[in-house]
Amino acid sequence: MNDTLLSVSIALVFGIATFMILRRDLIRVAIGVTLLSHATNMLIVSTGAFLGDRAPIITGEEAVSTGGIFIDDLAAGILAPVIPEGTEMAYVDPLVQALTLTAIVISLATTAFLLILCYRLYQEQGTTDVSEIRRLKG
Amino acid sequence: MDIIQHVPIIMIALPVFFAAFTILFRSKSGLQKALNVGVFALLFILSLRLLFYVWDNGILVYEVGEWGKYGILLVADLLGAGMVVLSSLISLMAMIYATDYMDRKALDATFFPLFNLMAAGLNGIFLTGDIFNMFVFFEILVLSSCGLIVLTGRGDHTKMADKLEAIFKYLILNIVSITLMLVAIASLYATVGTLNMADIAVKVAYLAEAGTLPWHFHVIAMTLIVVFGYKAAMFPLHFWLADVHPSAPAPIHAMLSGMVIKVGVYGILRVHYLIFNETMFMLQPILILLSLITIAVGATSAIGQYDLKRMLAYSSVSQIGYVLLGVGMGTAYALTAAIVYLVNHAVAKSMLFLATGETLYHAGTKDIRKMGGFAKSSPFLGSIFLIGAMSIAGLPPTGGFFSKLVLFDAGLSSEYYVPVAIALIFAIFTLFYLFRTWLAIFWGEIKDTDKADAYAGRNPTVAIKVALAFLACVVIYMGVYPEHLLSLSGTIAEQLLDPQPYITAVLERSVR
Amino acid sequence: MTTLIAKTVSKACVPIIILFSISLLLAGHNYPGGGFIGGVMFASAISLLYIVFGLKYIDSLYRYRWDKWFAAGLMLATLTGIGAMVFRYNFLRSTYLTVSLPLLGDIKLISTTLFDLGVYLVVTGSLLFVFKTMGEDE
């Protein structure tokens, strides 16, 4: 991950998400949670986006091993996504995209649950201010 | 291929299947109860079978989808299979208990599907060999337990608004902690390029040997400690537990305090002792310090509580501190002690919470000061509660005595005198608040004499008695014959400290 | 939202969106697409109908139980995995069958499609169940 701009923007989204989660309004907290999951997804994708610029779709005759992604030859000191010296890297890592898809699906479910929870909480307690929702103590 | 080799995936797939099945056949209440109890009994028998198989034949590796080298693996080693047996036992008892305890409406609507998904999530966490998959099962566990906390049972005096507030806390904190876990996993993947835990361990060992272990590896280890510490309610992250767990109905409370917080301890045992060996020298003092503060904070908070469920929730915080103390000391004997403690606490605490739900129903209130004299109106509940309290406080002849004995012995043999002394002081606190509570609830005269007739009509039903009595038998059994659990835990501890068999079993299987 | 333009346009669009979602579902093994994306597309088409025509009008035509879709999808997906175990393979092992049809040529029938169909139903059912439950609440 050499791209400084990418890193800075991911950090920025993380910062905004943290700021939003610390707000007092329920809906802002929900937005913050959504942003947090987006920032994480960007982080995961960025770990795979080294050098390669082609989509990891293998079509027909191009299905040749490019020798970069799936190398893990411990004897030669090569660890999987770490590209050895002089090897050309054609594809971005497809695994991180699968991971991101899973994370997106999970964050979809979480966000839907959270929004409904906020709505029900508003119905029960008549407020969306977190500091007023403090019945449990002791 | 023998059917026994499919048991790891059956432990996950069968509850998921029945989660869908129970949604489709919602209206048939009697069928649902019988079917779900049957399924959980089957899962318990299968998990025992799996444990015996792993004990005899070594680690069982299952390739989901037969993807060979790049697929997701399920690995049933002794630790994973043992935890699965524990979770199956407690979920079976909670399920039997819940069929009579939960409201009819809650049972018909969402209880069975969500409970099945929760069991699938727990079994998945204990059996998976892939760290990202562990994250997915964490998420399943969290969402299903959030849905279960809202449901109401008959001894549940928490209002809906309070339950929603508790879930909001639980969900937001869980999302943040799980996001941290995902960040840690992404960084780990960017460092070593694999998600299989055994593979990660090999590559980390290779990097450490070459002296090129990057510094952020230690940061990843710390982040994962925060995540698992949050799950286990370790000291700076324990505050949510006393709000969330008492809001749940009794069977779910038993599952949450019995199994779900143990998931954090399992995570530290599995991930940190397998992958982060290089960092443990740094983490062990931190773990010991934090676990001591956890013990102290939990015990002192529990003393001031008059709400029965809340007091026991703080007691859970304190007890998880003892388990983490054993984990932090890190010798083979201390890990044995931690696992023995974990098992004993899981069984005794879930029994205590199931008994508590029934006691609250019996009393019609959750304030300890308004209770009294229940030993006359319900001697069964009184004796069950007494056995649970004895086990948590560490008195013979229950399992809790041996867990405390082994833990302190392990601490003394590796010369941790001050931590053992502190833990011992707070063990006396535990004894004090549990027996004060027991005396206040079950001893003396009935305070509300007008309600004496009402008490007589609110006694446990047969299903509830069966669940409680079975768990009580397990607690006594572990106190009378502790050597079985001790030898199993000793082997598990040896495997944790020497993960080479695990790595060999995972990596050198026949690749198709 | 119940303007004439919206009604006319959505009448024309919804069948096309549904067809597109099905094509995404069927393309999903080797090309972009799959159960999740197709399911989200289908759910968006139906929710467009709910928004434009109103929940009550659609319910008066046919009152659909989306939670049953969800359950059926989850069952189908699990059964696909268990089905492989019946043939003495591991859980979720997939296989394919090439059939030659007149006019269409060679077609690969992949057993993973069943799993994808289950995912499609789960996503559609859960999203629409959430939308409808929230929408019914006055």
Side-chain angles (χ1 to χ4, degrees):
Chain A
M1 196 165 73
N2 304 327
D3 200 340
T4 316
L5 194 63
L6 189 61
S7 317
V8 168
S9 55
I10 291 170
L12 206 62
V13 179
F14 264 116
I16 296 170
T18 315
F19 176 72
M20 290 297 261
I21 287 179
L22 296 176
R23 304 256 78 195
R24 296 169 90 183
D25 192 51
L26 284 182
I27 298 301
R28 280 167 209 255
V29 174
I31 293 172
V33 165
T34 321
L35 278 177
L36 196 61
S37 69
H38 285 323
T40 319
N41 292 340
M42 277 165 69
L43 178 72
I44 302 174
V45 169
S46 72
T47 59
F50 42 79
L51 300 181
D53 51 355
R54 277 164 63 185
I57 304 169
I58 300 170
T59 49
E61 68 278 4
E62 288 175 58
V64 187
S65 168
T66 50
I69 283 180
F70 290 132
I71 286 183
D72 50 33
D73 189 2
L74 270 183
I78 300 166
L79 303 171
V82 184
I83 313 152
E85 202 81 29
T87 311
E88 199 179 333
M89 190 65 210
Y91 302 113
V92 299
D93 189 353
L95 183 66
V96 290
Q97 308 201 355
L99 298 187
T100 314
L101 186 60
T102 316
I104 286 175
V105 174
I106 289 170
S107 78
L108 170 91
T110 320
T111 311
F113 190 90
L114 184 62
L115 284 173
I116 292 176
L117 185 64
C118 291
Y119 178 63
R120 286 283 294 137
L121 209 55
Y122 172 69
Q123 271 188 331
E124 291 282 338
Q125 306 213 350
T127 175
T128 56
D129 190 341
V130 175
S131 60
E132 283 174 30
I133 305 174
R134 293 187 64 183
R135 295 152 134 269
L136 294 169
K137 56 181 87 144
Chain B
M1 185 174 257
D2 198 9
I3 189 76
I4 182 70
Q5 289 176 310
H6 287 296
V7 168
I9 192 68
I10 291 175
M11 296 302 297
I12 301 166
L14 201 63
V16 172
F17 178 77
F18 273 92
F21 188 81
T22 45
I23 297 176
L24 281 182
F25 296 90
R26 236 176 213 174
S27 51
K28 299 185 180 61
S29 212
L31 173 78
Q32 293 269 33
K33 283 182 188 174
L35 196 67
N36 276 290
V37 171
V39 166
F40 276 83
L42 178 67
L43 285 180
F44 178 52
I45 293 166
L46 282 178
S47 67
L48 274 177
R49 184 80 185 80
L50 180 67
L51 182 62
F52 284 121
Y53 180 85
V54 173
W55 179 261
D56 290 338
N57 300 26
I59 296 167
L60 175 59
V61 180
Y62 188 84
E63 291 173 15
V64 180
E66 299 188 17
W67 282 105
K69 201 174 175 192
Y70 304 107
I72 289 174
L73 298 176
L74 299 179
V75 185
D77 66 338
L78 273 180
L79 177 63
M83 292 296 280
V84 166
V85 171
L86 191 61
S87 89
S88 308
L89 169 71
I90 290 169
S91 49
L92 171 64
M93 290 307 144
M95 177 58 97
I96 292 175
Y97 180 94
T99 50
D100 275 359
Y101 178 88
M102 301 296 292
D103 287 344
R104 179 76 196 279
K105 205 176 146 211
L107 275 185
D108 285 351
T110 47
F111 179 79
F112 288 128
L114 288 176
F115 199 85
N116 274 299
L117 281 179
M118 191 182 192
L122 277 172
N123 290 340
I125 290 171
F126 297 142
L127 288 176
T128 185
D130 182 289
I131 194 165
F132 189 80
N133 216 12
M134 194 187 238
F135 154 79
V136 174
F137 284 120
F138 264 129
E139 216 37 279
I140 292 175
L141 183 62
V142 165
L143 283 179
S144 56
S145 52
C146 278
L148 282 165
I149 292 171
V150 203
L151 304 178
T152 50
R154 62 187 201 172
D156 194 9
H157 306 296
T158 316
K159 291 190 199 70
M160 184 51 87
D162 297 356
K163 287 190 175 216
L164 290 174
E165 184 196 332
I167 296 176
F168 187 74
K169 282 183 187 173
Y170 189 55
L171 190 63
I172 292 289
L173 288 166
N174 258 307
I175 291 172
V176 174
S177 84
I178 282 242
T179 308
L180 270 181
M181 185 177 179
L182 200 51
V183 170
I185 290 172
S187 323
L188 200 57
Y189 180 72
T191 313
V192 292
T194 170
L195 291 165
N196 185 324
M197 285 192 273
D199 207 5
I200 296 175
V202 170
K203 287 178 180 170
V204 166
Y206 177 82
L207 282 178
E209 206 174 301
T212 50
L213 198 64
W215 61 271
H216 68 255
F217 184 76
H218 302 295
V219 180
I220 297 170
M222 295 275 186
T223 317
L224 284 174
I225 279 279
V226 171
V227 174
F228 294 135
Y230 165 77
K231 291 277 171 199
M234 201 165 65
F235 158 62
L237 305 164
H238 70 286
F239 51 90
W240 56 276
L241 189 136
D243 284 348
V244 175
H245 284 194
S247 304
I252 306 310
H253 192 180
M255 283 296 282
L256 286 176
S257 281
M259 280 325 293
V260 177
I261 57 172
K262 306 295 189 297
V263 160
V265 179
Y266 172 82
I268 294 177
L269 284 178
R270 166 65 76 227
V271 175
H272 284 84
Y273 277 91
L274 181 60
I275 300 173
F276 296 105
N277 274 324
E278 308 296 325
T279 318
M280 282 319 277
F281 74 95
M282 200 155 68
L283 290 174
Q284 276 169 351
I286 299 177
L287 268 177
I288 291 176
L289 180 68
L290 288 181
S291 64
L292 286 177
I293 302 176
T294 313
I295 292 170
V297 167
T300 43
S301 311
I303 285 180
Q305 295 297 323
Y306 290 108
D307 179 339
L308 180 55
K309 276 182 145 182
R310 219 177 158 81
M311 188 211 80
L312 288 174
Y314 276 120
S315 165
S316 288
V317 174
S318 168
Q319 298 295 313
I320 210 76
Y322 287 95
V323 181
L324 287 171
L325 182 63
V327 174
M329 289 193 286
T331 58
Y333 194 20
L335 285 179
T336 312
I339 294 162
V340 170
Y341 206 108
L342 189 153
V343 174
N344 277 312
H345 177 252
V347 177
K349 213 29 167 299
S350 52
M351 181 181 80
L352 205 52
F353 279 126
L354 293 180
T356 302
E358 209 44 34
T359 309
L360 293 182
Y361 171 68
H362 193 73
T365 172
K366 55 182 178 180
D367 194 339
I368 296 174
R369 287 168 294 189
K370 291 179 189 157
M371 303 178 196
F374 291 161
K376 281 174 191 158
S377 57
S378 179
F380 178 78
L381 276 179
S383 47
I384 293 287
F385 204 102
L386 184 63
I387 293 171
M390 280 166 77
S391 183
I392 300 291
L395 297 182
T398 54
F401 169 69
F402 278 98
S403 56
K404 278 212 170 55
L405 182 72
V406 177
L407 182 68
F408 293 150
D409 191 27
L412 292 178
S413 64
S414 43
E415 298 186 346
Y416 286 107
Y417 297 121
V418 177
V420 168
I422 296 173
L424 204 55
I425 290 169
F426 287 100
I428 297 167
F429 273 51
T430 314
L431 194 68
F432 166 67
Y433 67 72
L434 279 171
F435 279 88
R436 187 196 60 179
T437 313
W438 187 82
L439 288 174
I441 297 174
F442 291 99
W443 217 242
E445 293 301 314
I446 292 176
K447 284 187 185 151
D448 265 342
T449 35
D450 334 338
K451 284 193 195 158
D453 296 339
Y455 290 149
R458 286 188 293 211
N459 265 323
T461 59
V462 178
I464 289 175
K465 277 187 177 171
V466 166
L468 288 173
F470 191 88
L471 283 173
C473 290
V474 176
V475 170
I476 301 282
Y477 169 79
M478 289 196 300
V480 179
Y481 298 106
E483 57 268 19
H484 298 153
L485 184 60
L486 274 174
S487 67
L488 176 65
S489 310
T491 320
I492 292 176
E494 278 169 23
Q495 288 190 356
L496 281 175
L497 289 178
D498 177 26
Q500 199 52 49
Y502 181 93
I503 293 169
T504 313
V506 172
L507 291 185
E508 293 179 11
R509 61 187 197 283
S510 57
V511 177
R512 264 169 270 253
Chain C
M1 293 292 270
T2 53
T3 60
L4 186 64
I5 298 172
K7 279 183 182 172
T8 318
V9 170
S10 60
K11 262 182 205 165
C13 279
V14 164
I16 299 171
I17 301 177
I18 291 175
L19 270 180
F20 182 51
S21 84
I22 292 171
S23 86
L24 275 180
L25 164 70
L26 294 180
H29 195 62
N30 288 336
Y31 297 95
F36 178 72
I37 294 156
V40 171
M41 190 65 79
F42 185 81
S44 68
I46 302 294
S47 52
L48 182 67
L49 280 185
Y50 277 141
I51 290 169
V52 170
F53 290 95
L55 207 58
K56 279 177 191 149
Y57 177 71
I58 304 276
D59 272 358
S60 71
L61 292 178
Y62 187 57
R63 194 174 169 77
Y64 215 88
R65 296 287 307 273
W66 292 113
D67 49 337
K68 303 256 167 179
W69 268 62
F70 169 80
L74 194 54
M75 262 175 113
L76 183 63
T78 332
L79 279 178
T80 316
I82 295 173
M85 281 158 63
V86 175
F87 294 103
R88 301 186 143 260
Y89 288 107
N90 277 4
F91 189 79
L92 275 181
R93 165 74 190 244
S94 67
T95 181
Y96 65 92
L97 181 71
T98 314
V99 290
S100 304
L101 290 179
L103 295 178
L104 294 174
D106 283 359
I107 290 180
K108 269 188 183 172
L109 295 177
I110 304 169
S111 67
T112 319
T113 313
L114 281 176
F115 183 82
D116 256 351
L117 186 65
V119 174
Y120 182 86
L121 294 180
V122 167
V123 171
T124 316
S126 55
L127 278 178
L128 287 173
F129 186 62
V130 168
F131 288 160
K132 206 175 149 189
T133 316
M134 295 308 287
E136 273 171 348
D137 207 281
E138 292 297 328

